[in-house]
Each structure stands twice: as C-alpha cells, then as structure tokens.
Amino acid sequence: MATKAKEVMHQTVGEQARARMQLWIEADGGNSAAANDDLKFAAGDQWPSDIQMQRQLDRRPCLTINKTDTFVRSVVNNMRQQRPRIKVHPVADGADEVVSGVIEGLIRHIEVSSNADSAYDTAADFQVRMGWGFIRVLAKYVDEKSWDQDLMIERVRNPFSIKFDPSSTQTDGLDATWVLVIEPMKKSEYESRYPGKVVSDFAAPGMDDLAGSAKKNEVLVAEYWRVEETPAKLVMLSNGMSVWKSELPSQEFMQASGLSIAHERDSMKRQVKWSLLSGDNEELEKRDWPGRYIPVLPVYGAELLQGGRLIRYGMVRNLKDPQKMYNFWRTSETEFVALAPKAPWLMAEGQDEGHEDEWNNANVKNYASLKYKVVTGDDGQALAPPVRQQPQAVPAASVNAAMAASEDLKAVAGMFDPALGAQGNETSGAMVSKRQGQSDLSNFHFYDNLTRTIRGVGIVLLDLIPYYYDTARTIRIIGEDGNPKATQINTPQQQEATGQLMAVQKVLNDLTVGRYDVVMDTGPGYDTKRIEAATNMMALIASMPELPKIAGDLIIRQMDWPGANDLADRVAMAIPFAQIDKELPEDLPPKAKQALAQAMGQVQQLQQQLKMLQQEKDAKVFGYQAKVQMDMQKQSAMEEAETHRLHLRELGEQERAELASRTMLENTAMRDETSMKETIIAATANIAVEEKRALQKGVPNANKI
C-alpha cells in the first residue's frame, strides 16, 4: 500500500483520486457492504429476502417486531443527554486566559449558529447503527454582502459518500492524508458554475454504495482533500521566532533589526489542498486550505483488527441473530393462532343431512341456532347431538423460545430491564442504579469515541480561528450558561506613555497569537447541573440561613421559572458581593479576576465591619456627649436650684428678721399695753381698796373720788 501511495504523488489530481479510491477498496474489506446491511436491518428489513418472498406467496405472516431499533435509540438518546462540551486552555506562545475564554465562547457560538448538535447526533446515530459516521468543518461567508467568514460545523447525512484514508490510525482521524467526499450537485447549478464543462458523474471503482444517490437532475462530483508535504528548511531566529528559510526577510533588514539565525534544521512544509473533480478527471475548482488538518472527522464505533483486516461495526451487527429468532418465534405464535382452523364439530354421519350449508359455514358465520337430523344407532337409540371440539393450545415451546430470544437481545446489547424502563428483579433504588450503570458501561465506548472526535473538532477550530477571525470586528460569544454577549476581537488599543517609555499599542482579544489546547467536559449539561445546584443550594440554606444574604442572587438564578433572572438582578443590587464582577475589567485573566474578586470581597467585608465599628463608635461618642450634656444640664439645674435655694434662704432670713422684728415690736407693744392695763387695773383696784378702807375708817366724801 505504501508503494501505491508513492505512485499516487506522480499522477494528475484526478488520477490520484481514483488511485486512492482503489486503495480504499482494498482496505475496506467489505465493511461498507456489512454496514449497509446493518442500516437496513435496524430500519426493519430483518427477514431474508427468499424466505420473506416465499411466505408472501404462501400468504403466511412475516412479522418484524423491531427491538433492535429500541436498543439503538436508547444508546443514542443517552448520548444526546450528555453531549460532550469543548473547553479551551492556554498553552504557550503568548496564550492568554482571557483570550482562551473568548475562543471558548466563540466555539460555542459556532456550534449554536451551525446547529452542531445535529451534526454530532447524526454522526453518533450512524456510529451506533453501522460502525462509523462523520462530522465536517466548513467556512462560509457571514452573508452575501460580507467579506467576513464564519466557521461552521456540518452534519454528514450519508456516511457512504466519504472515502476516508485507510492509513489513518487516530480515533479522531486528524492524521488522515487524503479524503474523498462524493456528493450530488444539481445539473443546473453545475452548468451555471462551470459553463462549457462536460456534465458527467465522478466514477471510480467501489462506488456501489453510492448507486442511486444522484437523481435524474443531479450529477456526482467529488471533493478531493489531500495533504502535500514538501522538504523545507526551518530556522530559528535570535529572537526565538521560527520561520521557513524561504520566507526570511532580506539580509539588510535582518541586520538593521539585529536578527540572526540561531538554529536551522530539515523539516517538511505541510499544506492541505482541496479540489472539486468531475467525471472526466478535470479539476472544476481548487484552492489551498489554511489549516493543518483535513476538516472531515470520523466517529468510529467498535474496531477489531483480524489478520490484517480492520473490521468496523456498530451495535446492530451482533443483535441480528437474536432479533431474527425473536421475529421467527413471535411469527410462529401468531401464525398458529391466526391460521389454525377453528375448533371443528364432531357429529355422526347423516346428522347434517338437509342442513349441509349451515354446518359447513358454522365456523365462518354466526348462526342463532344450528339444526341437525336425529340419527339412531344400531340399537335403535338416538345418537348424541353434534359437539364442538376444544381448540389446540399454543405450543409452549414457541412461547419459551420467543422469551429466550428476547433475553438474548438484552444480553447481547448489554442493556437490562431498568435501562429500558421495565420492572426488573431489583428491589432497591441502589440496585436499579447499579443495573443501569452496567448498561451504560456496556456501551460507553460509543460515547467515548464521540468525545474524542468532538475534541478533534475543537482542535480543527483552534487551528482555523486565527485565519478566519484575524481582523478587528465584533463577534458574538456564548457563555457556559447559554447567555450570549458581543465582544470585540483583534482591536488595537493605544496605551498611554509613562515616564520615558513610549506608548505601546495593545491588541484586545488577539485571536491570531498564542497556542491553545482542547480538553473535553463530559457528563450532565449546564441545565442539568443548574437544577442539581438549585436543589443542593436549597438544602444548604437549611444549615446556613445566612447564605441568601451572601449569594441570594446566585441561588435564584438556578431556579427554572420565568422571571428568575430579573428577580436575581434585583436581589444582586442589595448584595455587595454581586457587584464585584461588574467592577472588574473584562480583559483580566480568570485566576487574577478570581483573586481580585476575593480580595475585593474581603475589602468590602472589612469596610462593612469598619462601618459597623464606626457606627458603634459614633453611637458611643454620641452617648458620651449626651451624657456630658445631661450632666452639665443636671449640674446647671443643681446650681440653679442651689442659687434659688440660697436666694430663698436669704429671702427667708430677711422675712424671718422682719417677722421677728415685727413680732418683737408687737410683743413689746402688747407687753406695754398689758402692763399699762395691768397698772390701770392695779391702780383702780388699789383705789377701790383704799376707798373701801376709807369708808371703813369713816372718811367723808370717799365715794366721789
């Protein structure tokens, strides 16, 4: 095969394509024919053609109870629920974490705008059914008036239309050196695009699987992808840059720039080329592809290398025999019940005499009554009337064989009752989950191979993005949560000069520099994780009641009901931590953004604590001032009271002095008056005494005094 590959390089493009088709035929080993039969079987064509025709001629049933398709859909739909997701990580050569996030969001935009989920699901469906499928990456103009091109991920509806390099060994096919894509084109389009060219189908050996793919108004053309490698010298300059020696600038420029050649080695210059071929070996179109890889990627099912022959197959291949057995035994049951004669009537000869038509149609028509002729035996006694015989039961062997075939289907598929939604022998939820896990494990190689190919799609996109997104423009990127936003890429930004340094021009989100790598994120998607997060958060709130005050907006955003985001925005306005991300610059690396956000959060916490302490301090100062003021007011009141008391005391002493003086005067006056009265009384008394004494002594005129 290696010798033939070398011979190919010395042929014309059309001859190369046909020679490589011959290589593919020799390496295919009947895989395409077997895969085509698998597809027909999975679609319901499950009886051998000769047996089916004979049964139809005999008017016998030929049932197809297609359990195979149920197993296939179960595996494919399980893969749809956990579709792998592309993640981008920076590696070297000026790669930046912020730019890696932009590239990752751009890849999500490419997937959404090109319905990449349809491409992934179609490839996975063929992978499980027949053993392989394909995914393509294309570049298309944004619209008819634009010069910008967007990358697209396209599904391949007919995997037989692609003839893939049989020397490729990687599961994602990125090591392929040639690929042929043979598809129909409308004759009117062909004549319009290539006037004067002969309208003829691309024909090559081994195209039986494409027979009939082109309609009467279509013509088969072939896209011929190949990798051409030419010897070249690779040099490393003194500044660390690697360039091809043929692309070095002039010696004068290198001397003026202070550059020199540090290292030099032999290498191979790789170039991917594309041509469109017609049936007469003529190139209708040709161009150089900017990427390093052929943008056609296979999704393989199971592979088995047997004696130098590579066998590829899917899930259907091993399900054929038990499915055929199941169809046969269930058909036998149906045939026995449907075609077996109804229970016959047992009667003596002559009992139907005169009523032969009625008895002959007794198993076909429903009669209200059946008349019979009484017949006597040799002994002259009337014989018993006609009696219906019991119908024959369905053979137990057929039922048991059908049940065994059904169990064989489950065993071969590696899928048991819990995985199929049926009640099994498991008695606990843990056992059911374990049984379902066994079913998923049996077919995990399909999901794993799909993951590897989608990773290859991410590598191809990373390789092409610097070529197709190399100008300054605004693009849409999509976050992990599915929310889109507009972002500028390759936008020059002038930085201000500082000190003696000159101003430097910085490019915002430069997608043309840096080396990045792809890793895959598998498992439940964002929506499933969001629902699980909401459940866990609600359980966490029970043990941490203060959590809504810190992350209430995040909790509400996980809720799956209308208006949740609007409510979360309002709640976020009341939470300081929720405003941190809005204050951080977009071009900040994620790790630095996380560290800065954490630091800002701590600063805000300290600011809140300081504010609380300040409030406490203010309260204490206010309380002290109030106390001092109250003490001063109290002291002033006490002083006023004391002054008033002293004043009252002085007034009282004056009043008491005046009162005492008045009392003394009054007492003196009263004493004088009393004394005078007493004197007068005494004098009067004395006079009366003296008169009485004088009378007693005989003094004349004593009573006139």
Side-chain angles (χ1 to χ4, degrees):
M1 186 180 296
T3 304
K4 292 184 178 181
K6 291 180 180 179
E7 294 175 355
V8 165
M9 303 305 297
H10 301 285
Q11 299 171 340
T12 65
V13 173
E15 291 172 344
Q16 286 180 16
R18 283 163 176 78
R20 281 174 163 165
M21 276 288 293
Q22 186 63 40
L23 291 175
W24 177 83
I25 293 169
E26 295 176 4
D28 180 67
N31 281 327
S32 294
N36 193 32
D37 188 67
D38 292 342
L39 286 181
K40 292 192 297 183
F41 191 90
D45 188 1
Q46 298 177 353
W47 285 85
S49 57
D50 54 342
I51 295 178
Q52 186 175 15
M53 183 176 296
Q54 185 61 46
R55 281 181 166 269
Q56 290 175 352
L57 291 174
D58 296 340
R59 295 185 178 180
R60 299 174 62 190
C62 191
L63 304 181
T64 299
I65 303 171
N66 193 358
K67 285 195 169 187
T68 299
D69 189 63
T70 302
F71 289 116
V72 169
R73 284 187 284 108
S74 180
V75 174
V76 173
N77 290 339
N78 189 39
M79 295 165 67
R80 289 188 177 193
Q81 288 182 327
Q82 304 185 66
R83 189 175 292 111
R85 295 167 295 279
I86 297 173
K87 308 285 286 186
V88 179
H89 288 180
V91 177
D93 298 338
D96 184 80
E97 290 193 10
V98 174
V99 177
S100 70
V102 173
I103 294 175
E104 187 175 311
L106 174 58
I107 290 177
R108 291 196 194 97
H109 160 74
I110 293 172
E111 290 180 319
V112 170
S113 61
S114 57
N115 293 322
D117 54 349
S118 177
Y120 300 154
D121 295 341
T122 302
D125 190 79
F126 282 116
Q127 169 205 24
V128 176
R129 291 180 185 274
M130 70 179 214
W132 69 86
F134 290 99
I135 301 171
R136 297 191 62 180
V137 178
L138 303 174
K140 295 182 179 180
Y141 286 103
V142 175
D143 55 54
E144 64 275 7
K145 294 183 179 180
S146 175
W147 294 102
D148 293 330
Q149 295 187 65
D150 275 345
L151 294 172
M152 308 291 288
I153 301 172
E154 190 174 79
R155 71 171 182 153
V156 177
R157 297 182 62 186
N158 182 9
F160 296 109
S161 66
I162 296 179
K163 312 302 179 183
F164 205 78
D165 182 6
S167 64
S168 170
T169 58
Q170 293 184 10
T171 54
D172 54 14
L174 293 182
D175 59 338
T177 58
W178 65 270
V179 175
L180 273 166
V181 183
I182 305 169
E183 292 185 336
M185 176 187 292
K186 290 185 178 180
K187 291 182 179 180
S188 57
E189 181 183 355
Y190 184 97
E191 294 170 348
S192 174
R193 291 174 60 178
Y194 316 111
K197 302 294 184 180
V198 178
V199 180
S200 59
D201 289 330
F202 177 83
M207 291 182 56
D208 296 338
D209 50 5
L210 292 175
S213 60
K215 301 176 182 178
K216 291 183 179 181
N217 61 340
E218 294 177 336
V219 58
L220 287 178
V221 294
E223 296 181 49
Y224 178 35
W225 296 86
R226 70 265 184 204
V227 176
E228 294 184 0
E229 294 183 338
T230 56
K233 290 286 186 179
L234 182 67
V235 298
M236 177 180 286
L237 300 179
S238 55
N239 62 354
M241 181 181 296
S242 295
V243 296
W244 299 110
K245 192 171 184 178
S246 60
E247 298 175 356
L248 280 174
S250 64
Q251 191 68 26
E252 293 79 7
F253 179 84
M254 292 185 63
Q255 290 178 355
S257 303
L259 297 175
S260 61
I261 298 176
H263 301 284
E264 181 177 339
R265 70 177 179 89
D266 293 331
S267 181
M268 300 294 291
K269 193 173 182 180
R270 181 186 178 97
Q271 178 63 58
V272 178
K273 293 182 175 293
W274 174 88
S275 298
L276 186 66
L277 305 177
S278 65
D280 57 355
N281 293 345
E282 187 174 1
E283 283 186 282
L284 301 173
E285 293 183 49
K286 62 179 180 179
R287 68 174 68 98
D288 290 341
W289 181 250
R292 288 178 44 82
Y293 310 100
I294 297 176
V296 181
L297 295 89
V299 183
Y300 293 129
E303 292 183 335
L304 180 63
L305 191 61
Q306 184 183 30
R309 174 178 172 240
L310 183 63
I311 302 174
R312 288 195 174 100
Y313 59 95
M315 189 178 186
V316 175
R317 190 76 52 88
N318 294 327
L319 291 174
K320 287 182 177 180
D321 286 343
Q323 178 66 66
K324 290 177 181 178
M325 291 172 57
Y326 188 76
N327 289 339
F328 174 78
W329 290 115
R330 291 305 299 268
T331 300
S332 297
E333 293 179 31
T334 304
E335 183 178 14
F336 184 87
V337 174
L339 299 184
K342 293 186 178 179
W345 290 90
L346 184 63
M347 65 177 65
E349 184 179 1
Q351 285 186 322
D352 61 345
E353 184 179 348
H355 306 284
E356 290 83 353
D357 291 341
E358 296 177 15
W359 285 102
N360 288 337
N361 295 321
N363 285 343
V364 179
K365 297 181 179 180
N366 293 322
Y367 291 105
S369 62
L370 290 174
K371 300 178 177 63
Y372 72 97
K373 184 177 180 180
V374 178
V375 178
T376 58
D378 295 339
D379 57 357
Q381 298 293 326
L383 298 177
V387 61
R388 187 186 289 275
Q389 297 296 304
Q390 292 295 328
Q392 187 176 358
V394 177
S398 297
V399 177
N400 293 335
M403 294 178 61
S406 179
E407 293 301 316
D408 289 341
L409 278 167
K410 298 175 186 176
V412 172
M415 301 177 67
F416 307 98
D417 289 335
L420 299 172
Q423 185 70 31
N425 297 326
E426 296 76 12
T427 57
S428 66
M431 290 299 296
V432 171
S433 299
K434 186 175 181 180
R435 200 68 162 166
Q436 290 175 339
Q438 291 176 352
S439 301
D440 294 339
L441 186 62
S442 298
N443 299 286
F444 183 73
H445 58 289
F446 294 116
Y447 180 79
D448 197 37
N449 286 350
L450 176 64
T451 301
R452 293 171 180 173
T453 300
I454 295 179
R455 180 181 180 273
V457 171
I459 293 175
V460 171
L461 292 175
L462 279 181
D463 182 49
L464 295 173
I465 282 174
Y467 297 96
Y468 288 98
Y469 298 87
D470 59 341
T471 59
R473 57 168 157 159
T474 300
I475 62 172
R476 183 185 75 162
I477 63 174
I478 298 178
E480 185 180 2
D481 57 358
N483 292 328
K485 70 174 183 178
T487 300
Q488 292 182 342
I489 60 171
N490 308 319
T491 305
Q493 289 184 329
Q494 192 75 18
Q495 294 184 338
E496 296 181 358
T498 57
Q500 297 180 350
L501 297 178
M502 297 181 63
V504 179
Q505 192 178 57
K506 178 184 177 183
V507 179
L508 176 64
N509 297 328
D510 190 352
L511 305 188
T512 63
V513 299
R515 185 155 54 93
Y516 300 87
D517 195 10
V518 171
V519 295
M520 298 306 297
D521 182 16
T522 59
Y526 179 82
D527 290 338
T528 302
K529 291 179 180 178
R530 180 170 58 85
I531 295 173
E532 292 177 354
T535 303
N536 294 333
M537 285 180 179
M538 295 304 295
L540 191 60
I541 290 176
S543 59
M544 296 180 61
E546 70 279 5
L547 186 61
K549 299 179 181 179
I550 303 173
D553 60 319
L554 300 180
I555 297 174
I556 296 174
R557 289 189 199 282
Q558 309 308 314
M559 305 301 178
D560 190 14
W561 34 266
N565 289 333
D566 295 336
L567 180 59
D569 292 339
R570 293 193 180 186
V571 173
M573 296 176 65
I575 300 177
F577 291 100
Q579 306 300 320
I580 293 177
D581 288 338
K582 298 180 180 179
E583 300 174 2
L584 298 177
E586 293 185 359
D587 58 347
L588 198 66
K591 290 185 178 179
K593 182 180 290 188
Q594 183 178 2
L596 186 57
Q598 185 176 1
M600 291 180 65
Q602 293 176 354
V603 169
Q604 286 194 359
Q605 285 183 339
L606 293 175
Q607 288 177 346
Q608 288 183 345
Q609 293 178 1
L610 182 61
K611 185 177 180 180
M612 293 177 63
L613 292 174
Q614 186 65 36
Q615 291 176 350
E616 292 179 1
K617 178 182 176 182
D618 293 343
K620 290 181 179 179
V621 171
F622 177 77
Y624 176 76
Q625 292 177 347
K627 182 179 179 182
V628 170
Q629 186 175 2
M630 289 180 64
D631 291 343
M632 292 177 63
Q633 291 177 352
K634 182 178 179 182
Q635 183 66 28
S636 177
M638 291 177 64
E639 290 177 355
E640 290 180 359
E642 182 65 18
T643 302
H644 184 66
R645 186 182 66 79
L646 293 175
H647 179 67
L648 292 177
R649 182 178 179 183
E650 292 176 357
L651 292 176
E653 289 178 351
Q654 290 178 0
E655 290 179 353
R656 282 197 299 273
E658 293 177 357
L659 180 62
S661 178
R662 287 197 303 269
T663 302
M664 185 180 296
L665 292 174
E666 290 177 355
N667 290 337
T668 301
M670 289 180 65
R671 282 197 303 270
D672 293 344
E673 184 178 357
T674 301
S675 177
M676 184 177 295
K677 288 180 179 181
E678 289 178 351
T679 300
I680 294 173
I681 292 172
T684 304
N686 288 332
I687 292 173
V689 170
E690 288 295 333
E691 287 180 354
K692 187 175 181 180
R693 286 177 178 175
L695 290 174
Q696 289 177 354
K697 291 178 176 182
V699 176
N701 301 327
N703 58 342
K704 293 182 181 182
I705 298 172

